[in-house]
Amino acid sequence: PVIADDQGAADRISADDEFDSHTWLSSMAVTGGKAHFAYMAQTDPPREHYLRYDLSSGQRDQHLHPEFRGERISLRGLSGFFVTEPKSPRLIYFVGNDGGRIGCLRSRDNGLTWTDYARTEKTYAPYAIGGYRITDDGSILGTFTQQRASDDVLDFQSEVYFFSIVPSKSK
């Protein structure tokens, strides 16, 4: 057994007032000299955090909360993923839950600003949103589980979905 220790030498990402609430790190990525983190704190009301750390200084240089959003898309949930473009280290995407839709934000400046990129028209009850990579044609590949809860535990249904966010010529 291991005892949780918030006094250790590691840098803590969560906020001081979140010790009494459930926090869940969705994803992290390292690109262009920065470390990117997304997590949700199940406070009242819930807060979604995006944090960026400069690797050379070790300092946090960007913190968006209580929402991680673009113009219309606001991502909030316990799962999601960053995906980066190896040929363009300043280009980063985050895919997550936008009120039951799968939404994607894009940053062209390595996480300094975020804009809407893609969102499903259909709504789901997404759980375990996960990603793979950007393909050679620029598509973002991912998966999620659609959950349909029931009062009868034997009637609980889950379906796994695969998705591809195909780049638009106008984006």
Side-chain angles (χ1 to χ4, degrees), residues 117-138:
Y117 186 67
R119 176 173 56 186
T120 61
E121 290 187 24
K122 184 177 177 182
T123 59
Y124 300 90
Y127 173 77
I129 301 169
Y132 178 54
R133 64 181 179 99
I134 297 178
T135 63
D136 290 342
D137 73 351

Side-chain angles (χ1 to χ4, degrees), residues 24-28 36-40 48-51 68 82 94:
W24 194 267
L25 181 66
S26 300
S27 187
M28 74 164 290
H36 305 267
F37 300 90
Y39 81 91
M40 180 180 199
E48 185 73 25
H49 294 264
Y50 163 74
L51 298 103
F68 183 16
F82 289 106
F94 187 78

Side-chain angles (χ1 to χ4, degrees), residues 101-122:
R101 291 178 168 84
I102 303 300
C104 180
L105 298 176
R106 173 176 64 186
S107 176
R108 293 177 186 223
D109 55 12
N110 203 11
L112 190 59
T113 60
W114 293 87
T115 58
D116 295 349
Y117 186 67
R119 176 173 56 186
T120 61
E121 290 187 24
K122 184 177 177 182

Side-chain angles (χ1 to χ4, degrees), residues 49-66:
H49 294 264
Y50 163 74
L51 298 103
R52 184 181 82 168
Y53 282 78
D54 181 77
L55 295 178
S56 62
S57 70
Q59 298 298 309
R60 178 187 307 171
D61 62 7
Q62 180 69 302
H63 186 190
L64 305 176
H65 66 95

Side-chain angles (χ1 to χ4, degrees), residues 14 24 47 130:
S14 58
W24 194 267
R47 298 187 292 229

